[in-house]
Amino acid sequence: MKKTSIFLSGFVFGVLVASIIPVFAKNNVDENLPVEQMRAVVDVWNIVKRNYVDPVDDDVLAKACISGMAERDNHSSLLSDDDFNASSIASGNFAAIGLQLTRRFDNYVVLSAVTSGPSEKAGIETGDILIEIDGESLDGLKLSEVVMLLRGKPGTKVAVKLARKGESAPIEKLLVREIIKVNPVHARLLPNDLVYLKIESFTADSKELVKKSIHKALGNAQAKGFIIDLRNNPGGLLDSVIDVTNLFVNDGKILALNGREGSDVRTFSANGHALYDKQPIVVLVNYGTASGSEILAEALRTHNGAKVLGEKTFGMGTIQNVIALNSKMALKITTARWESASGQILEDRGIVPDAVLPHQNDRHDFDHDEWIARAVLELPNDNN
């Protein structure tokens, strides 16, 4: 039986493509194919092939035709060799400016700037809208094409223009590309044996990284509570989200996938082997908290009574599969919407926190982070 890993929309384009085992499209002919419409497609192909003023390659025509059918939403698209090259950063090192982008309402929105990358150092923030690269408009470009424009050799420069809420004029930044080092999980021990756990994204090894980070932070101590920081976490592999959730949630539904017209429903439930389900938890979220991180936050609130602090989350609630068409092309297509542990559809809605905290920009020092200080107050301490 062929298997595919599913991933959640909202992640920096294709970060985890290398971790996906694609299912190859079947060649079975659907007996219900609309003959008239199919004939029109072939007629247009032939007309363009024979009459266009310049010669047109068959591969170009095929990609144009497939792309037109594939792009049903902002997360479905044809993936070519260039797209895979643009997104192949599963190793954790790549030359770019450290932006995690998604497409929403025909805008390229910054979900987060990678910690200590050029974009974060330059003050680019979650929610900024990318409008130009090197003076060129991004209108009509696919997300993969935008990513390719931002990539380049280490040490080269790229100029970006962004729109920011509350700013009347665009913001311009000149950035130097560098090798980006991604550290998706880290933890530290706070006073009163509270564990601060930061999850930047959900990669193939997130579960083990979380366990190792917590173990290292605790040493010989016993955790009395957790602060799980999901700010600017754009999601990742669905399997990893489920695995990490199972470390904290011992029982109950984690999420359900709803396919076309609700006919294809698949429910993911906790496996009953949680390691940290007895400790109180506070979850930090913001606008850059999307997709898989929203699943985790809502599961912790629903089943563990975790308190969610921060800002309303992004609201990314769809699932994509990658289906290989041949050795050079694959189709990334939205196959389901998901509902959270509490039964909510979060697409375009997001999670409303239990307590809304004053907005702070993405660059903040850990020791002076007001959100973390507030989270500590929600957990047991020696003065309680």
Side-chain angles (χ1 to χ4, degrees):
M1 179 175 168
K2 294 178 180 177
K3 178 185 177 184
T4 182
S5 294
I6 359 182
F7 66 104
L8 300 144
S9 58
F11 206 35
V12 55
F13 174 73
V15 161
L16 300 167
V17 164
S19 300
I20 293 166
I21 305 171
V23 171
F24 283 84
K26 296 180 180 179
N27 293 320
N28 298 339
V29 177
D30 188 337
E31 295 179 357
N32 297 316
L33 282 174
V35 176
E36 184 176 347
Q37 288 85 347
M38 295 298 293
R39 183 178 291 118
V41 171
V42 174
D43 287 345
V44 171
W45 181 299
N46 287 327
I47 291 169
V48 174
K49 179 76 174 177
R50 295 171 181 172
N51 298 287
Y52 186 68
V53 64
D54 297 316
V56 183
D57 184 77
D58 284 339
D59 284 343
V60 173
L61 287 174
K63 288 180 180 178
C65 183
I66 297 169
S67 292
M69 291 187 286
E71 294 174 6
R72 311 316 311 153
D73 57 31
N74 286 332
H75 312 299
S76 300
S77 64
L78 174 68
L79 302 179
S80 64
D81 281 347
D82 288 342
D83 296 327
F84 279 97
N85 290 334
S87 59
S88 183
I89 61 172
S91 63
N93 297 306
F94 55 100
I97 61 171
L99 271 188
Q100 301 194 37
L101 297 171
T102 190
R103 189 175 179 184
R104 168 164 278 192
F105 308 127
D106 294 325
N107 292 320
Y108 294 104
V109 181
V110 176
L111 277 175
S112 71
V114 175
T115 303
S116 299
S119 295
E120 187 197 51
K121 294 174 184 175
I124 294 177
E125 298 182 7
T126 297
D128 287 351
I129 296 173
L130 188 62
I131 53 179
E132 287 185 8
I133 299 175
D134 287 331
E136 298 295 326
S137 170
L138 306 184
D139 290 346
L141 295 184
K142 295 194 301 181
L143 187 53
S144 59
E145 294 171 326
V146 173
V147 172
M148 286 294 285
L149 291 176
L150 294 174
R151 299 284 172 84
K153 294 181 179 179
T156 58
K157 296 179 180 179
V158 59
V160 298
K161 183 180 288 187
L162 307 111
R164 178 175 296 170
K165 184 178 180 180
E167 299 287 342
S168 57
I171 298 168
E172 298 185 34
K173 302 286 184 181
L174 182 63
L175 305 172
V176 178
R177 297 181 179 97
E178 63 182 51
I179 299 298
I180 304 297
K181 297 185 182 297
V182 178
N183 179 19
V185 177
H186 49 93
R188 67 165 67 184
L189 188 64
L190 303 180
N192 301 307
D193 293 337
L194 303 178
V195 177
Y196 169 83
L197 176 67
K198 173 68 173 175
I199 305 176
E200 303 267 2
S201 60
F202 294 98
T203 59
D205 55 353
S206 287
K207 176 183 175 181
E208 293 306 314
L209 289 174
V210 168
K211 289 169 63 177
K212 289 178 181 178
S213 296
I214 292 173
H215 180 75
K216 183 178 179 180
L218 280 171
N220 295 322
Q222 295 293 319
K224 294 181 180 178
F226 286 91
I227 297 171
I228 300 181
D229 193 341
L230 300 177
R231 288 175 291 180
N232 300 329
N233 178 328
L237 282 175
L238 176 59
D239 287 348
S240 292
V241 175
I242 301 299
D243 288 344
V244 171
T245 305
N246 271 313
L247 293 175
F248 297 92
V249 175
N250 198 60
D251 184 55
K253 182 180 78 174
I254 296 174
L255 84 157
L257 304 184
N258 298 305
R260 176 176 291 184
E261 298 176 354
S263 59
D264 182 18
V265 178
R266 181 182 177 190
T267 299
F268 294 83
S269 298
N271 60 19
H273 300 295
L275 300 177
Y276 312 110
D277 62 313
K278 305 302 181 185
Q279 298 88 345
I281 297 172
V282 174
V283 183
L284 296 178
V285 300
N286 66 356
Y287 183 72
T289 302
S291 200
S293 53
E294 292 175 292
I295 291 172
L296 175 58
E298 193 62 17
L300 292 171
R301 177 159 66 177
T302 300
H303 300 302
N304 295 48
K307 190 160 188 178
V308 178
L309 307 181
E311 298 171 331
K312 185 179 177 181
T313 62
F314 192 83
M316 192 79 69
T318 57
I319 295 287
Q320 283 72 43
N321 274 20
V322 172
I323 303 171
L325 302 176
N326 53 41
S327 61
K328 295 183 178 180
M329 292 187 294
L331 187 65
K332 179 163 74 79
I333 185 169
T334 299
T335 56
R337 292 184 175 87
W338 55 264
E339 64 180 41
S340 68
S342 59
Q344 297 183 69
I345 299 294
L346 297 180
E347 178 75 0
D348 295 332
R349 299 177 185 176
I351 294 172
V352 177
D354 298 305
V356 177
L357 302 183
H359 176 75
Q360 58 183 11
N361 63 38
D362 293 340
R363 297 195 71 194
H364 45 265
D365 178 72
F366 180 91
D367 294 321
H368 299 91
D369 189 319
E370 295 179 359
W371 285 26
I372 295 176
R374 170 61 188 277
V376 169
L377 295 177
E378 300 289 339
L379 293 168
N381 62 72
D382 291 341
N383 297 318
N384 284 351

